[in-house]
């Protein structure tokens, strides 16, 4: 199976990045975790992106906060799909990173998830890898069905309590 790369701009991003790692692990998807910064280590970020396909990766998650150029910079240097996670910051609550990540110019796409949306970033990667992996597709379908069951059970409990 292809690997997923989880890249973050700083170790201060780890609490969110770890949620993506946990979700990938749940599906048995192999992954690597790296710290590369579009601003602080631009050469390392570029080199990793340029070699990622050759190194066996199938998708890249890039998580960054503030003036978040990481996902776009990675996407500029690979033809692999890139999922961007804008991270919440102290001063602007993540709206800064959201706009920096989502507003890509035409031609270099970044699939941007919600602010701190690590679980959806991982799930999108699972969906991408599942296109060529029937066992993973079945696992993902089962996960979605189980999530639906959880909500239906919550609805049943609320209806039982309030509707008479
Ligand atoms: C971004 O700046 C990082 O992705 C992080 O979210 C933010 C702050 O980084 P630190 O100052 O905590 O290293 O590049």
């Amino acid at each position: 199976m292809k690997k997923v790369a989880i890249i973050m701009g700083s170790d201060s991003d780890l609490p969110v990045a770890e949620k993506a790692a946990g979700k990938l692990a749940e599906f048995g998807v192999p992954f690597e975790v790296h710290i590369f910064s579009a601003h602080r280590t631009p050469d390392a970020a570029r080199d990793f992106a340029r070699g990622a396909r050759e190194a066996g990766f199938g998708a890249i998650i890039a998580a960054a906060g503030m003036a978040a150029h990481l996902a776009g910079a990675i996407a500029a240097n690979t033809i692999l799909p890139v999922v961007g996670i804008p991270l919440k910051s102290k001063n602007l609550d993540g709206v800064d990173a959201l706009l920096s990540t989502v507003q890509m110019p035409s031609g270099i796409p970044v699939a941007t998830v919600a602010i701190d949306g690590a679980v959806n970033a991982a799930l999108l990667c699972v969906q991408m890898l599942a296109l060529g992996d029937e066992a993973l597709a079945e696992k993902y379908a089962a996960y979605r069905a189980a999530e639906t069951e959880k909500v239906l059970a919550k609805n049943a409990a609320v209806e039982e309590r309030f509707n008479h």
Side-chain angles (χ1 to χ4, degrees):
M1 193 189 300
K2 299 262 189 210
K3 297 179 284 185
V4 172
I6 303 173
I7 303 173
M8 70 204 94
S10 165
D11 63 347
S12 64
D13 302 330
L14 249 179
V16 175
E18 275 181 331
K19 290 185 187 152
K23 195 48 79 176
L24 291 173
E26 204 178 305
F27 283 93
V29 170
F31 62 87
E32 287 183 15
V33 181
H34 300 273
I35 296 172
F36 297 126
S37 165
H39 307 123
R40 292 164 173 162
T41 61
D43 293 345
R46 183 204 54 215
D47 291 350
F48 180 85
R50 290 195 176 165
R53 196 158 168 265
E54 190 78 2
F57 292 97
I60 298 175
I61 294 172
M66 300 172 73
H69 297 114
L70 182 61
I74 295 292
N77 283 293
T78 181
I79 60 166
L80 291 175
V82 175
V83 180
I85 311 176
L87 299 178
K88 188 166 177 165
S89 58
K90 185 165 66 341
N91 294 324
L92 293 171
D93 273 344
V95 175
D96 43 357
L98 173 64
L99 297 179
S100 303
T101 306
V102 78
Q103 288 289 44
M104 287 297 293
S106 182
I108 308 292
V110 167
T112 305
V113 296
I115 295 168
D116 288 352
V119 168
N120 275 357
L123 292 178
L124 267 178
C125 292
V126 169
Q127 288 177 278
M128 289 172 200
L129 298 187
L131 287 172
D133 185 326
E134 201 43 45
L136 185 59
E138 279 170 27
K139 230 187 248 185
Y140 182 64
Y143 168 83
R144 287 283 290 264
E147 291 297 300
T148 299
E149 284 306 319
K150 280 187 205 165
V151 177
L152 290 174
K154 287 176 188 171
N155 176 54
V158 164
E159 287 184 353
E160 169 68 19
R161 182 172 162 200
F162 291 102
N163 306 346
H164 296 291

